[in-house]
Amino acid sequence: MDPVIIAGAGPVGLALALALARQEVPSVVLDEGPGKDELRLARTVVLREDTVALVERLTGLPLDDAGFRWAGWRSMRRRQVMREITFGGETSRNAEGPGDGEEFSAPLHIAQHALTGALREAVIHERLVKVAVHSRLDSVEQDASGVTAHTRGPDGTWWRGSYLVGCDGPRSTVRKLQDIRFPGRTAVERHAVAALRTELPWPGEALLHRMTPWRTSGPSTGEVSARPLAEDVWRLDWLLPPGKDLVTPDLLVARIRETLGGWSGGATPAYELLDTGVHTVHHRLARRWRAGRVFLAGDAAHLLGALGTQGLDEGLRDADNLAWKLALGWHHGPHTALLDSYQAERRAVVAARLRAADQALPLLRNGGGLRSYVPGSARGHDALLTDGHLGRGPLGAPGAYTGSPLMPPPAESRALVDTEPGAPVADVRVTAEDGSFVPLRERLGRGVLLVVLIAPGTGVWARKHWVTAGIMPRLAAAVTALPHPAELLVAESYPGAAAHTVLLVRPDGHLVTALGGVRPADLYEAAEAALGGPANAGSENAAEATAGRR
């Protein structure tokens, strides 16, 4: 069968190619450029723990070596510290204010060129991925069995593929060729950005400072954030007021000196300016994410990230969601309901984040007047912004596919756990089929369903002692009978789960359902629903096959 064609060699396109390769699906990546990335320290991204795990599975490289884990977070208003969080190891606890005692994961802050470089390095060693450099997409043609993509450039040619995915950015050629509208708002926010090497009073901690007490040079709203990278490098973002005021080099240098001096209590500390830029935030959402055998992902499908650094996180989730569905269709034949669920799930999640940002930002940015005198309003605004920066809450948390067409009907045996169906599962330690202990996230992304039995006490015994005891043989038989390959895992515990709870998890790590005990019929029905229904129900060829029998 023909490979999947991926237009765009940014992080989303490369991640999708690697995700497909892990499921034995070949791909061709059309790269407009020379196959190298410009080094830009002012262009960084913040990744949540689960997207970090996704990239590490795909690359086999520890991202902590290329990025930086924040030691903590603090937010200030004028000269007052509103909230302070210290990250200890993998989790942290709020040091003061509302929500005291709530656990936080330490985000990973990484330069985008470093992230792309790790993905490119993995692609070089992947036999199922071919990268065609200097290949700009010119046209796309579809038929019943695949797509044909024509490229222009020094080696302009045509490529034949089973599917085509547009990961080619905000000005997506794929989206335009498919005549898909991209409505939304332009220049929702603008930030002046500088990457510099210096020492700040809070080493390793990220900072959001609102209503800065010092006089601001040039246009500004008095809001600045500082995000640390390795080797004493910091990314500073100044929120600019609405308009098109030019950010000149002199104004930016004055802003840097003023800000560093204000934080250091007087004299400006020594610094080395490494990179600058202006980050403009747009909010746009493509009307359709699928047109036959053509799909959109990443910035080609959506533009968001009002806080300046987390838009790529959603693009990587697009790739993770789409890869296993394309792989199933590639190996077993097209399944319309499953492929349609990509748009239904991902577009709904991104639309919810865009709505949350559009509702919250006017209040957060223009919170003057009577609202500013309401007790606790400033702290509430700060908590909302903090959660957004840390990948939590309505502005930052990963979405759950609660309204997905792949959700199974409620079963009498359904059990309640702390993860709602459709949400990402918790990363608990599990015993694999070979008897090894591994994080649950390490078993994702291979195109198989995961069935996890919660069995307290099993962790202290070798698997050979309990694999044939109790309910295990019956559960193993039920897993073998599922309509798709599945792996049986065992966990000592899971948040909110009682003993003998059985979890069904999709290849992308989202919970399908939790069942109380071994219920083979309910487990089969849930697995069938997660795959889009019976194998031939949504097939693009089902109608023709039925007509032929008649």
mmCIF file of all heavy atoms in Angstrom, residues 17-58:
data_model
loop_
_atom_site.group_PDB
_atom_site.id
_atom_site.type_symbol
_atom_site.label_atom_id
_atom_site.label_comp_id
_atom_site.label_asym_id
_atom_site.label_seq_id
_atom_site.Cartn_x
_atom_site.Cartn_y
_atom_site.Cartn_z
ATOM 1 N N ALA A 17 5.037 11.421 11.475
ATOM 2 C CA ALA A 17 5.771 10.419 10.694
ATOM 3 C C ALA A 17 6.355 9.340 11.601
ATOM 4 O O ALA A 17 6.283 8.141 11.292
ATOM 5 C CB ALA A 17 6.881 11.103 9.890
ATOM 6 N N LEU A 18 6.934 9.748 12.728
ATOM 7 C CA LEU A 18 7.511 8.779 13.661
ATOM 8 C C LEU A 18 6.427 7.929 14.318
ATOM 9 O O LEU A 18 6.606 6.721 14.524
ATOM 10 C CB LEU A 18 8.332 9.510 14.728
ATOM 11 C CG LEU A 18 9.645 10.134 14.230
ATOM 12 C CD1 LEU A 18 10.242 11.039 15.300
ATOM 13 C CD2 LEU A 18 10.647 9.050 13.845
ATOM 14 N N ALA A 19 5.294 8.555 14.660
ATOM 15 C CA ALA A 19 4.199 7.811 15.272
ATOM 16 C C ALA A 19 3.647 6.754 14.318
ATOM 17 O O ALA A 19 3.309 5.638 14.729
ATOM 18 C CB ALA A 19 3.092 8.764 15.711
ATOM 19 N N LEU A 20 3.558 7.090 13.035
ATOM 20 C CA LEU A 20 3.116 6.112 12.039
ATOM 21 C C LEU A 20 4.138 4.985 11.889
ATOM 22 O O LEU A 20 3.779 3.805 11.774
ATOM 23 C CB LEU A 20 2.892 6.801 10.696
ATOM 24 C CG LEU A 20 1.680 7.738 10.607
ATOM 25 C CD1 LEU A 20 1.720 8.524 9.307
ATOM 26 C CD2 LEU A 20 0.375 6.955 10.716
ATOM 27 N N ALA A 21 5.412 5.352 11.899
ATOM 28 C CA ALA A 21 6.459 4.338 11.749
ATOM 29 C C ALA A 21 6.445 3.347 12.905
ATOM 30 O O ALA A 21 6.718 2.155 12.710
ATOM 31 C CB ALA A 21 7.826 5.015 11.660
ATOM 32 N N ARG A 22 6.120 3.813 14.108
ATOM 33 C CA ARG A 22 6.046 2.898 15.269
ATOM 34 C C ARG A 22 4.940 1.873 15.079
ATOM 35 O O ARG A 22 4.926 0.851 15.752
ATOM 36 C CB ARG A 22 5.810 3.687 16.550
ATOM 37 C CG ARG A 22 6.898 4.664 16.930
ATOM 38 C CD ARG A 22 8.232 3.958 17.195
ATOM 39 N NE ARG A 22 9.282 4.902 17.559
ATOM 40 C CZ ARG A 22 10.111 5.479 16.703
ATOM 41 N NH1 ARG A 22 10.001 5.227 15.408
ATOM 42 N NH2 ARG A 22 11.047 6.299 17.105
ATOM 43 N N GLN A 23 4.029 2.164 14.160
ATOM 44 C CA GLN A 23 2.935 1.234 13.879
ATOM 45 C C GLN A 23 3.063 0.634 12.478
ATOM 46 O O GLN A 23 2.081 0.199 11.889
ATOM 47 C CB GLN A 23 1.601 1.974 14.042
ATOM 48 C CG GLN A 23 1.407 2.477 15.475
ATOM 49 C CD GLN A 23 0.255 3.444 15.627
ATOM 50 O OE1 GLN A 23 -0.893 3.051 15.448
ATOM 51 N NE2 GLN A 23 0.549 4.689 15.962
ATOM 52 N N GLU A 24 4.320 0.631 11.994
ATOM 53 C CA GLU A 24 4.671 -0.026 10.730
ATOM 54 C C GLU A 24 3.944 0.573 9.526
ATOM 55 O O GLU A 24 3.557 -0.133 8.601
ATOM 56 C CB GLU A 24 4.397 -1.528 10.814
ATOM 57 C CG GLU A 24 5.262 -2.252 11.832
ATOM 58 C CD GLU A 24 6.759 -2.138 11.518
ATOM 59 O OE1 GLU A 24 7.124 -2.310 10.352
ATOM 60 O OE2 GLU A 24 7.527 -1.874 12.466
ATOM 61 N N VAL A 25 3.777 1.895 9.542
ATOM 62 C CA VAL A 25 3.184 2.597 8.399
ATOM 63 C C VAL A 25 4.240 3.525 7.802
ATOM 64 O O VAL A 25 4.752 4.401 8.498
ATOM 65 C CB VAL A 25 1.944 3.408 8.821
ATOM 66 C CG1 VAL A 25 1.392 4.192 7.633
ATOM 67 C CG2 VAL A 25 0.880 2.496 9.403
ATOM 68 N N PRO A 26 4.588 3.375 6.521
ATOM 69 C CA PRO A 26 5.586 4.242 5.908
ATOM 70 C C PRO A 26 5.010 5.618 5.584
ATOM 71 O O PRO A 26 3.797 5.771 5.403
ATOM 72 C CB PRO A 26 5.956 3.495 4.625
ATOM 73 C CG PRO A 26 4.715 2.724 4.277
ATOM 74 C CD PRO A 26 4.084 2.346 5.591
ATOM 75 N N SER A 27 5.876 6.615 5.511
ATOM 76 C CA SER A 27 5.425 7.967 5.185
ATOM 77 C C SER A 27 6.498 8.706 4.410
ATOM 78 O O SER A 27 7.684 8.374 4.466
ATOM 79 C CB SER A 27 5.073 8.751 6.459
ATOM 80 O OG SER A 27 6.209 8.901 7.294
ATOM 81 N N VAL A 28 6.051 9.715 3.669
ATOM 82 C CA VAL A 28 6.932 10.639 2.964
ATOM 83 C C VAL A 28 6.651 12.028 3.509
ATOM 84 O O VAL A 28 5.503 12.486 3.500
ATOM 85 C CB VAL A 28 6.684 10.614 1.442
ATOM 86 C CG1 VAL A 28 7.509 11.697 0.753
ATOM 87 C CG2 VAL A 28 7.011 9.244 0.873
ATOM 88 N N VAL A 29 7.684 12.704 4.000
ATOM 89 C CA VAL A 29 7.541 14.050 4.560
ATOM 90 C C VAL A 29 8.054 15.055 3.537
ATOM 91 O O VAL A 29 9.227 15.010 3.140
ATOM 92 C CB VAL A 29 8.323 14.186 5.882
ATOM 93 C CG1 VAL A 29 8.147 15.597 6.449
ATOM 94 C CG2 VAL A 29 7.856 13.150 6.893
ATOM 95 N N LEU A 30 7.184 15.955 3.093
ATOM 96 C CA LEU A 30 7.555 16.991 2.133
ATOM 97 C C LEU A 30 8.034 18.224 2.890
ATOM 98 O O LEU A 30 7.263 18.889 3.583
ATOM 99 C CB LEU A 30 6.356 17.342 1.243
ATOM 100 C CG LEU A 30 5.702 16.170 0.505
ATOM 101 C CD1 LEU A 30 4.532 16.677 -0.342
ATOM 102 C CD2 LEU A 30 6.712 15.426 -0.353
ATOM 103 N N ASP A 31 9.316 18.509 2.782
ATOM 104 C CA ASP A 31 9.946 19.613 3.502
ATOM 105 C C ASP A 31 10.255 20.730 2.509
ATOM 106 O O ASP A 31 11.027 20.530 1.560
ATOM 107 C CB ASP A 31 11.223 19.118 4.181
ATOM 108 C CG ASP A 31 11.853 20.159 5.089
ATOM 109 O OD1 ASP A 31 11.394 21.321 5.084
ATOM 110 O OD2 ASP A 31 12.809 19.818 5.810
ATOM 111 N N GLU A 32 9.652 21.895 2.714
ATOM 112 C CA GLU A 32 9.915 23.016 1.811
ATOM 113 C C GLU A 32 11.349 23.500 1.901
ATOM 114 O O GLU A 32 11.890 24.053 0.954
ATOM 115 C CB GLU A 32 8.970 24.179 2.132
ATOM 116 C CG GLU A 32 7.521 23.924 1.779
ATOM 117 C CD GLU A 32 6.691 25.189 1.942
ATOM 118 O OE1 GLU A 32 7.294 26.266 2.132
ATOM 119 O OE2 GLU A 32 5.455 25.102 1.873
ATOM 120 N N GLY A 33 11.967 23.326 3.065
ATOM 121 C CA GLY A 33 13.304 23.852 3.293
ATOM 122 C C GLY A 33 14.404 22.847 3.037
ATOM 123 O O GLY A 33 14.190 21.785 2.446
ATOM 124 N N PRO A 34 15.613 23.160 3.550
ATOM 125 C CA PRO A 34 16.783 22.315 3.291
ATOM 126 C C PRO A 34 16.949 21.166 4.279
ATOM 127 O O PRO A 34 17.955 20.448 4.225
ATOM 128 C CB PRO A 34 17.946 23.308 3.402
ATOM 129 C CG PRO A 34 17.462 24.303 4.423
ATOM 130 C CD PRO A 34 15.980 24.427 4.208
ATOM 131 N N GLY A 35 16.006 21.016 5.212
ATOM 132 C CA GLY A 35 16.131 19.948 6.203
ATOM 133 C C GLY A 35 16.862 20.370 7.457
ATOM 134 O O GLY A 35 17.248 19.533 8.269
ATOM 135 N N LYS A 36 17.060 21.667 7.635
ATOM 136 C CA LYS A 36 17.703 22.204 8.827
ATOM 137 C C LYS A 36 16.834 23.311 9.399
ATOM 138 O O LYS A 36 15.998 23.891 8.702
ATOM 139 C CB LYS A 36 19.094 22.753 8.497
ATOM 140 C CG LYS A 36 20.064 21.696 7.972
ATOM 141 C CD LYS A 36 21.414 22.317 7.665
ATOM 142 C CE LYS A 36 22.381 21.269 7.130
ATOM 143 N NZ LYS A 36 23.716 21.859 6.807
ATOM 144 N N ASP A 37 17.027 23.607 10.673
ATOM 145 C CA ASP A 37 16.206 24.608 11.347
ATOM 146 C C ASP A 37 17.065 25.746 11.874
ATOM 147 O O ASP A 37 18.176 25.535 12.375
ATOM 148 C CB ASP A 37 15.435 23.963 12.503
ATOM 149 C CG ASP A 37 14.501 22.876 12.027
ATOM 150 O OD1 ASP A 37 13.451 23.220 11.467
ATOM 151 O OD2 ASP A 37 14.835 21.690 12.197
ATOM 152 N N GLU A 38 16.543 26.942 11.775
ATOM 153 C CA GLU A 38 17.235 28.121 12.289
ATOM 154 C C GLU A 38 17.246 28.091 13.814
ATOM 155 O O GLU A 38 16.244 27.761 14.445
ATOM 156 C CB GLU A 38 16.518 29.378 11.797
ATOM 157 C CG GLU A 38 17.180 30.678 12.195
ATOM 158 C CD GLU A 38 16.405 31.889 11.727
ATOM 159 O OE1 GLU A 38 15.289 31.700 11.192
ATOM 160 O OE2 GLU A 38 16.899 33.019 11.911
ATOM 161 N N LEU A 39 18.392 28.410 14.402
ATOM 162 C CA LEU A 39 18.514 28.426 15.858
ATOM 163 C C LEU A 39 17.902 29.714 16.391
ATOM 164 O O LEU A 39 18.411 30.807 16.143
ATOM 165 C CB LEU A 39 19.987 28.314 16.270
ATOM 166 C CG LEU A 39 20.749 27.100 15.739
ATOM 167 C CD1 LEU A 39 22.158 27.058 16.309
ATOM 168 C CD2 LEU A 39 20.011 25.814 16.070
ATOM 169 N N ARG A 40 16.796 29.590 17.123
ATOM 170 C CA ARG A 40 16.090 30.755 17.657
ATOM 171 C C ARG A 40 15.756 30.509 19.122
ATOM 172 O O ARG A 40 14.804 29.796 19.443
ATOM 173 C CB ARG A 40 14.806 31.007 16.869
ATOM 174 C CG ARG A 40 15.000 31.467 15.433
ATOM 175 C CD ARG A 40 15.635 32.853 15.356
ATOM 176 N NE ARG A 40 14.959 33.817 16.185
ATOM 177 C CZ ARG A 40 13.884 34.518 15.809
ATOM 178 N NH1 ARG A 40 13.383 34.335 14.592
ATOM 179 N NH2 ARG A 40 13.334 35.393 16.625
ATOM 180 N N LEU A 41 16.508 31.099 20.033
ATOM 181 C CA LEU A 41 16.253 30.935 21.466
ATOM 182 C C LEU A 41 15.044 31.737 21.924
ATOM 183 O O LEU A 41 14.536 31.516 23.031
ATOM 184 C CB LEU A 41 17.492 31.346 22.263
ATOM 185 C CG LEU A 41 18.663 30.359 22.194
ATOM 186 C CD1 LEU A 41 19.898 30.947 22.864
ATOM 187 C CD2 LEU A 41 18.289 29.047 22.850
ATOM 188 N N ALA A 42 14.581 32.684 21.093
ATOM 189 C CA ALA A 42 13.382 33.443 21.456
ATOM 190 C C ALA A 42 12.112 32.721 21.024
ATOM 191 O O ALA A 42 11.011 33.218 21.255
ATOM 192 C CB ALA A 42 13.422 34.838 20.826
ATOM 193 N N ARG A 43 12.256 31.562 20.424
ATOM 194 C CA ARG A 43 11.103 30.778 19.996
ATOM 195 C C ARG A 43 11.121 29.460 20.777
ATOM 196 O O ARG A 43 11.846 28.530 20.430
ATOM 197 C CB ARG A 43 11.149 30.528 18.496
ATOM 198 C CG ARG A 43 9.852 29.962 17.934
ATOM 199 C CD ARG A 43 9.931 29.802 16.432
ATOM 200 N NE ARG A 43 8.653 29.398 15.876
ATOM 201 C CZ ARG A 43 8.456 29.072 14.609
ATOM 202 N NH1 ARG A 43 9.478 29.098 13.766
ATOM 203 N NH2 ARG A 43 7.272 28.704 14.184
ATOM 204 N N THR A 44 10.341 29.400 21.820
ATOM 205 C CA THR A 44 10.358 28.252 22.713
ATOM 206 C C THR A 44 8.943 27.728 22.907
ATOM 207 O O THR A 44 7.962 28.398 22.570
ATOM 208 C CB THR A 44 10.949 28.616 24.087
ATOM 209 O OG1 THR A 44 10.082 29.579 24.721
ATOM 210 C CG2 THR A 44 12.340 29.211 23.947
ATOM 211 N N VAL A 45 8.847 26.522 23.459
ATOM 212 C CA VAL A 45 7.545 25.923 23.744
ATOM 213 C C VAL A 45 7.575 25.330 25.151
ATOM 214 O O VAL A 45 8.630 24.966 25.669
ATOM 215 C CB VAL A 45 7.180 24.825 22.720
ATOM 216 C CG1 VAL A 45 7.015 25.422 21.353
ATOM 217 C CG2 VAL A 45 8.223 23.708 22.699
ATOM 218 N N VAL A 46 6.395 25.251 25.751
ATOM 219 C CA VAL A 46 6.233 24.619 27.057
ATOM 220 C C VAL A 46 5.381 23.371 26.858
ATOM 221 O O VAL A 46 4.279 23.448 26.306
ATOM 222 C CB VAL A 46 5.562 25.573 28.071
ATOM 223 C CG1 VAL A 46 5.360 24.874 29.402
ATOM 224 C CG2 VAL A 46 6.415 26.825 28.256
ATOM 225 N N LEU A 47 5.896 22.230 27.297
ATOM 226 C CA LEU A 47 5.208 20.955 27.103
ATOM 227 C C LEU A 47 4.781 20.369 28.441
ATOM 228 O O LEU A 47 5.528 20.412 29.422
ATOM 229 C CB LEU A 47 6.120 19.954 26.386
ATOM 230 C CG LEU A 47 6.634 20.348 25.003
ATOM 231 C CD1 LEU A 47 7.521 19.248 24.445
ATOM 232 C CD2 LEU A 47 5.486 20.646 24.053
ATOM 233 N N ARG A 48 3.586 19.793 28.466
ATOM 234 C CA ARG A 48 3.116 19.064 29.625
ATOM 235 C C ARG A 48 3.812 17.705 29.700
ATOM 236 O O ARG A 48 4.441 17.248 28.752
ATOM 237 C CB ARG A 48 1.604 18.851 29.538
ATOM 238 C CG ARG A 48 0.768 20.073 29.872
ATOM 239 C CD ARG A 48 -0.700 19.738 29.704
ATOM 240 N NE ARG A 48 -1.021 18.450 30.325
ATOM 241 C CZ ARG A 48 -1.425 18.309 31.591
ATOM 242 N NH1 ARG A 48 -1.555 19.376 32.347
ATOM 243 N NH2 ARG A 48 -1.692 17.120 32.078
ATOM 244 N N GLU A 49 3.629 17.049 30.853
ATOM 245 C CA GLU A 49 4.319 15.791 31.089
ATOM 246 C C GLU A 49 3.947 14.720 30.072
ATOM 247 O O GLU A 49 4.792 13.947 29.616
ATOM 248 C CB GLU A 49 4.003 15.291 32.501
ATOM 249 C CG GLU A 49 4.932 14.195 32.994
ATOM 250 C CD GLU A 49 6.350 14.667 33.204
ATOM 251 O OE1 GLU A 49 6.559 15.863 33.501
ATOM 252 O OE2 GLU A 49 7.263 13.845 33.051
ATOM 253 N N ASP A 50 2.673 14.652 29.667
ATOM 254 C CA ASP A 50 2.273 13.591 28.741
ATOM 255 C C ASP A 50 2.783 13.835 27.326
ATOM 256 O O ASP A 50 3.103 12.881 26.604
ATOM 257 C CB ASP A 50 0.761 13.387 28.757
ATOM 258 C CG ASP A 50 -0.019 14.661 28.499
ATOM 259 O OD1 ASP A 50 0.555 15.756 28.611
ATOM 260 O OD2 ASP A 50 -1.223 14.578 28.197
ATOM 261 N N THR A 51 2.884 15.098 26.892
ATOM 262 C CA THR A 51 3.446 15.347 25.566
ATOM 263 C C THR A 51 4.967 15.175 25.570
ATOM 264 O O THR A 51 5.547 14.784 24.557
ATOM 265 C CB THR A 51 3.070 16.750 25.047
ATOM 266 O OG1 THR A 51 3.204 17.704 26.091
ATOM 267 C CG2 THR A 51 1.658 16.773 24.528
ATOM 268 N N VAL A 52 5.601 15.446 26.701
ATOM 269 C CA VAL A 52 7.026 15.126 26.826
ATOM 270 C C VAL A 52 7.236 13.622 26.660
ATOM 271 O O VAL A 52 8.118 13.172 25.929
ATOM 272 C CB VAL A 52 7.577 15.597 28.184
ATOM 273 C CG1 VAL A 52 8.999 15.060 28.405
ATOM 274 C CG2 VAL A 52 7.583 17.110 28.276
ATOM 275 N N ALA A 53 6.391 12.842 27.342
ATOM 276 C CA ALA A 53 6.495 11.380 27.233
ATOM 277 C C ALA A 53 6.257 10.918 25.800
ATOM 278 O O ALA A 53 6.920 9.987 25.318
ATOM 279 C CB ALA A 53 5.499 10.716 28.178
ATOM 280 N N LEU A 54 5.325 11.562 25.099
ATOM 281 C CA LEU A 54 5.054 11.220 23.702
ATOM 282 C C LEU A 54 6.308 11.428 22.851
ATOM 283 O O LEU A 54 6.716 10.535 22.098
ATOM 284 C CB LEU A 54 3.906 12.073 23.173
ATOM 285 C CG LEU A 54 3.703 12.092 21.649
ATOM 286 C CD1 LEU A 54 3.343 10.707 21.130
ATOM 287 C CD2 LEU A 54 2.638 13.119 21.253
ATOM 288 N N VAL A 55 6.933 12.598 22.965
ATOM 289 C CA VAL A 55 8.118 12.885 22.147
ATOM 290 C C VAL A 55 9.263 11.953 22.519
ATOM 291 O O VAL A 55 10.008 11.478 21.649
ATOM 292 C CB VAL A 55 8.530 14.360 22.293
ATOM 293 C CG1 VAL A 55 9.817 14.641 21.528
ATOM 294 C CG2 VAL A 55 7.429 15.281 21.793
ATOM 295 N N GLU A 56 9.408 11.652 23.790
ATOM 296 C CA GLU A 56 10.488 10.748 24.203
ATOM 297 C C GLU A 56 10.267 9.338 23.677
ATOM 298 O O GLU A 56 11.228 8.641 23.314
ATOM 299 C CB GLU A 56 10.609 10.757 25.727
ATOM 300 C CG GLU A 56 11.167 12.059 26.271
ATOM 301 C CD GLU A 56 11.338 12.056 27.773
ATOM 302 O OE1 GLU A 56 10.686 11.232 28.454
ATOM 303 O OE2 GLU A 56 12.123 12.886 28.276
ATOM 304 N N ARG A 57 9.009 8.883 23.616
ATOM 305 C CA ARG A 57 8.736 7.574 23.015
ATOM 306 C C ARG A 57 9.107 7.566 21.539
ATOM 307 O O ARG A 57 9.626 6.577 21.016
ATOM 308 C CB ARG A 57 7.247 7.221 23.144
ATOM 309 C CG ARG A 57 6.790 6.819 24.509
ATOM 310 C CD ARG A 57 5.453 6.091 24.451
ATOM 311 N NE ARG A 57 4.420 6.779 23.704
ATOM 312 C CZ ARG A 57 3.587 7.681 24.201
ATOM 313 N NH1 ARG A 57 3.685 8.012 25.488
ATOM 314 N NH2 ARG A 57 2.653 8.251 23.452
ATOM 315 N N LEU A 58 8.826 8.663 20.861
ATOM 316 C CA LEU A 58 9.069 8.726 19.426
ATOM 317 C C LEU A 58 10.546 8.859 19.090
ATOM 318 O O LEU A 58 11.011 8.326 18.082
ATOM 319 C CB LEU A 58 8.299 9.898 18.813
ATOM 320 C CG LEU A 58 6.776 9.835 18.906
ATOM 321 C CD1 LEU A 58 6.160 11.097 18.322
ATOM 322 C CD2 LEU A 58 6.228 8.602 18.202
#
